[in-house]
Amino acid sequence: MYPQQKRRKHFADLTNAITHAKHAEVHRLATEGIINLLHDRSRALAFTCNFEEAENESRQIIARAPQLAVGYLSLGDNLQAQGKYAAAIRIYETGLTNAISESDSYAQLEKAKAMSVVKDAYRFDIITSATIEIAYNIFSMLDQTTRCICLNVCQKWRGILFSSPKAWHRVVFDKGMSSFLNSIPIFGRVLAPGAVIDAKE
């Protein structure tokens, strides 16, 4: 190969390397921007108690950047906010295994895991610890939306709520839903005897 051809090839190789580096940097910045956006959305959703959507945003971070601790931290914090400490510990441990250990978020993962372990050891469930009558009275004082949220806490709470004679004395659904639910035999057995099913106007 002639010297001039060598120089041209060398120049072309350098140009390709620079172009590739620019694309890689643009991709890195775009990924970083998306991750920051997802993290902010997850925190905002968790703050408004939309935990399922918040978890989905956190899982997207993990899917896009499994080597970063921020996704595991975000998901673990969401689970912790719901009192799901054992699940949070598992997520933090996965993050500690997969994430890059030199980042600040990695140190936060270690602290968050330690805090979840302590909270999991000392948590106290007043509903399952109280007598069934007290639990019934507590649930009967809650509005319908809050009772529906309580159904998703755990199987024990769900069982107590479904067996409570006072909790489901009156149920209000969106228009059209009440007649549909009345046609389902099992739903009628869940409600208290003589319960009223209303439709919103």
Side-chain angles (χ1 to χ4, degrees):
M1 189 180 285
Y2 295 107
Q4 191 175 1
Q5 288 175 321
K6 279 185 178 179
R7 281 196 298 273
R8 282 180 186 162
K9 185 179 182 309
H10 184 63
F11 180 77
D13 289 344
L14 282 173
T15 304
N16 287 337
I18 290 167
T19 304
H20 181 72
K22 282 181 181 176
H23 287 313
E25 180 63 12
V26 167
H27 182 268
R28 185 190 68 77
L29 290 171
T31 303
E32 194 175 286
I34 290 168
I35 286 167
N36 288 336
L37 177 66
L38 289 169
H39 184 50
D40 290 343
R41 279 175 50 88
S42 176
R43 282 170 37 182
L45 287 164
F47 184 75
T48 56
C49 296
N50 292 312
F51 293 114
E52 190 174 333
E53 291 178 52
E55 285 180 32
N56 288 338
E57 300 293 314
S58 300
R59 290 186 193 281
Q60 282 189 53
I61 298 172
I62 294 169
R64 287 176 181 274
Q67 77 284 4
L68 298 180
V70 65
Y72 305 100
L73 194 59
S74 177
L75 181 55
D77 290 350
N78 286 334
L79 292 167
Q80 232 190 110
Q82 299 172 71
K84 299 177 180 177
Y85 301 116
I89 291 165
R90 286 194 296 273
I91 293 298
Y92 293 139
E93 285 174 346
T94 304
L96 290 168
T97 303
N98 298 339
I100 299 166
S101 59
E102 286 79 26
S103 66
D104 292 337
S105 298
Y106 192 87
Q108 291 174 4
L109 267 179
E110 292 176 320
K111 288 178 185 174
K113 182 196 166 189
M115 192 166 60
S116 286
V117 168
V118 171
K119 286 183 177 179
D120 192 44
Y122 289 100
R123 66 180 171 165
F124 177 73
D125 186 350
I126 192 167
I127 296 295
T128 54
S129 301
T131 63
I132 196 74
E133 292 82 10
I134 292 172
Y136 285 164
N137 284 332
I138 291 169
F139 284 134
S140 68
M141 291 180 212
L142 302 176
D143 60 75
Q144 178 180 306
T145 304
T146 308
R147 286 197 305 270
C148 289
I149 292 169
C150 289
L151 287 172
N152 291 320
V153 171
C154 66
Q155 287 182 342
K156 288 180 180 178
W157 281 37
R158 191 178 303 123
I160 294 168
L161 258 168
F162 277 150
S163 65
S164 172
K166 296 178 183 177
W168 307 104
H169 187 68
R170 181 180 184 85
V171 182
V172 181
F173 290 98
D174 290 334
K175 201 169 185 177
M177 184 58 85
S178 58
S179 57
F180 170 71
L181 290 170
N182 274 324
S183 68
I184 303 173
I186 193 168
F187 188 76
R189 290 200 294 273
V190 166
L191 297 177
V196 179
I197 300 179
D198 284 344
K200 287 180 185 174
E201 291 303 324

